[in-house]
Amino acid sequence: MKQRIVLATGNHGKVAELSQMLAGLDIDVVPQTVFSVPEIEETGLTFVENAILKARNAAKYSGLPAIADDSGLEVDALNGAPGIYSARFAGPDARDTDNNTKLLTELTDVTDAERTARFQCVLVYLRHENDPVPLICQGSWEGTILHTPQGENGFGYDPLFYIASENGSSAELPPEQKNQLSHRAQALRQLITKLQK
């Protein structure tokens, strides 16, 4: 029988990405919306703290083991911003296009050489709400920030995140390829290894 795990996000892009990556395992990933899990305020000051908050909240309301991801974009020229505030960089109700526009505005006078950035992802797995030993996995993906969006795939900052080795933006990669390379893929591979043990 497949093990059901609640995914602590309402982000459809993340649900689709993680479900696709976990497809080979005997796991049924259920988005937290199925259990009407209320959104929790991300009051942590790190990706790890926020991921644990979200996983605990999802496990509490669903009664299932939970996986939560907290991820974001760190831009060196902006001292690591937007970081943990990536999803709400342009304000609390910001859309991806708003966040991308704000990022480009902040980098207006920054040279190509100084536009280095990375996506960070922390994945947390809790067996239950009060699990004292969460599994924590982390992945990062290096790139640079483009001057204009490129590509139609992905979500978030993908159209601005350029990967030199792939000669294109994250949004120009087919999903299967992104799911091999991305920060989330790296963290998830670690998590799968730990879950299989």
Side-chain angles (χ1 to χ4, degrees):
M1 197 173 104
K2 282 191 166 193
Q3 182 186 7
R4 293 181 88 205
I5 296 179
V6 64
L7 185 57
T9 184
N11 181 316
H12 298 299
K14 285 184 185 179
V15 172
E17 224 169 71
L18 283 168
S19 296
Q20 198 175 4
M21 290 186 217
L22 289 167
L25 292 179
D26 223 14
I27 292 175
D28 183 20
V29 179
V30 187
Q32 70 178 13
T33 48
V34 169
F35 302 97
S36 303
V37 174
E39 286 290 326
I40 189 164
E41 199 178 338
E42 295 180 30
T43 54
L45 298 178
T46 64
F47 293 121
V48 173
E49 290 173 30
N50 283 333
I52 289 173
L53 283 171
K54 291 190 271 192
R56 242 184 247 303
N57 185 53
K60 174 183 176 179
Y61 284 94
S62 68
L64 294 175
I67 293 175
D69 135 298
D70 199 47
S71 49
L73 179 69
E74 294 178 342
V75 180
D76 294 320
L78 302 178
N79 296 320
I84 61 168
Y85 306 105
S86 292
R88 49 196 187 279
F89 190 42
D93 299 316
R95 297 183 322 260
D96 290 349
T97 50
D98 303 326
N99 289 328
N100 285 330
T101 300
K102 177 167 177 158
L103 180 62
L104 290 175
T105 303
E106 299 267 330
L107 294 175
T108 302
D109 299 324
V110 178
T111 65
D112 288 353
E114 296 173 301
R115 294 173 86 93
T116 52
R118 73 212 42 80
F119 274 126
Q120 296 283 11
C121 174
V122 171
L123 275 180
V124 167
Y125 173 80
L126 292 179
R127 290 174 292 261
H128 51 81
E129 178 193 356
N130 297 311
D131 189 344
V133 193
L135 291 179
I136 300 172
C137 304
Q138 188 262 334
S140 60
W141 195 21
E142 297 289 329
T144 53
I145 304 301
L146 293 162
H147 293 270
T148 53
Q150 288 178 205
E152 302 299 320
N153 296 330
F155 58 95
Y157 297 95
D158 285 346
L160 293 177
F161 190 73
Y162 181 80
I163 307 101
S165 62
E166 305 306 310
N167 198 24
S169 78
S170 176
E172 292 176 297
L173 300 177
E176 313 72 52
Q177 191 176 3
K178 181 187 175 190
N179 291 348
Q180 291 295 314
L181 302 170
S182 78
H183 52 309
R184 198 165 289 112
Q186 293 172 40
L188 194 60
R189 275 195 294 274
Q190 294 170 30
L191 184 63
I192 288 168
T193 303
K194 289 182 180 183
L195 288 176
Q196 285 171 331
K197 287 179 183 167

